[in-house]
Amino acid sequence: MRRDRQRYLNDTEARFRMLVLVTLVMQELGVRYNQKFMAGDFDARDSGNLLLHGILTGRGGTCVTMPVLYAAIGRRLGYPLFLCYSNAHVFLRWEQPAERFNMDATAWGFLEESDEYFRNFVCPLRKSDTTRGYLTNLTPRQELACLLAQRGRCLLDHLRFAESAKHFMQVHCGSSPGSSETS
């Protein structure tokens, strides 16, 4: 199998590993992007669009859930994967001293994209946005803060204000892209 990898993805083992991971998750587990989510207006009331249980129950994933799933599996395999935010999108980054590349986890198959692509994807970022946490590797604390913010948004849209406020307070004590605090 290592010999066959030369046919794929710029002949790097890291890219080959991600190709295999994505292929197995899509073909064997049936993971797909939730096209219904993309077709309509953003609806945070449905927590399945924002948290892993949506993708794990077969409804399909989103740009919030698919990178989290790939990162969780890849990290268990020892892959140096990080979640990153652009404006209104989450993507994956493989980063180690010898190699760095970005992956759009919502694509059909392995799709590598540049920082410049994500800088302009959905809504273009300003240069100052990179100082706010966009296009940078999230720390585990920042990842947790982002997931808590997703849960808080869902609770807010269900008018569960007290519970939502607790989640947003936890986010404020952490750090997520778009906040002025870094950790």
Side-chain angles (χ1 to χ4, degrees):
M1 188 141 185
R2 285 183 187 268
R3 186 177 62 230
D4 292 339
R5 76 176 167 84
Q6 293 176 348
R7 297 187 312 205
Y8 301 101
L9 303 166
N10 301 321
D11 193 28
T12 71
E13 186 165 338
R15 285 172 173 82
F16 181 72
R17 286 178 180 212
M18 287 308 299
L19 171 68
V20 171
L21 172 63
V22 170
T23 301
L24 288 172
V25 167
M26 289 187 155
Q27 289 183 359
E28 299 301 320
L29 301 179
V31 169
R32 302 282 185 276
Y33 186 77
N34 182 352
Q35 295 295 329
K36 292 178 185 177
F37 179 74
M38 189 170 89
D41 291 330
F42 176 77
D43 183 5
R45 290 175 297 171
D46 184 351
S47 63
N49 290 327
L50 305 174
L51 302 169
L52 272 181
H53 70 276
I55 196 171
L56 296 176
T57 56
R59 295 183 4 194
T62 66
C63 76
V64 176
T65 60
M66 290 181 79
V68 171
L69 179 64
Y70 286 125
I73 295 169
R75 288 173 182 171
R76 295 290 293 182
L77 295 169
Y79 298 175
L81 295 176
F82 296 88
L83 296 179
C84 301
Y85 271 71
S86 65
N87 200 359
H89 193 66
V90 183
F91 63 97
L92 270 176
R93 178 174 290 144
W94 177 293
E95 184 155 356
Q96 57 190 151
E99 188 166 15
R100 176 186 187 268
F101 59 89
N102 301 324
M103 184 185 114
D104 189 347
T106 61
W108 176 252
F110 176 88
L111 180 61
E112 183 179 343
E113 296 290 359
S114 67
D115 284 358
E116 191 60 30
Y117 172 84
F118 288 113
R119 186 180 320 284
N120 294 300
F121 187 72
V122 183
C123 303
L125 292 171
R126 300 172 306 232
K127 287 190 181 223
S128 63
D129 287 332
T130 55
T131 62
R132 297 174 58 208
Y134 293 106
L135 303 178
T136 60
N137 297 344
L138 298 182
T139 66
R141 185 174 176 172
Q142 290 169 323
E143 289 177 358
L144 177 60
C146 291
L147 295 172
L148 288 169
Q150 297 297 333
R151 179 72 175 137
R153 171 73 192 274
C154 180
L155 290 166
L156 181 65
D157 282 7
H158 280 281
L159 307 178
R160 293 166 63 180
F161 301 117
E163 292 171 275
S164 177
K166 287 179 186 176
H167 282 76
F168 287 125
M169 284 302 296
Q170 289 174 316
V171 169
H172 179 71
C173 294
S175 180
S176 62
S179 71
S180 59
E181 192 176 316
T182 59
S183 60

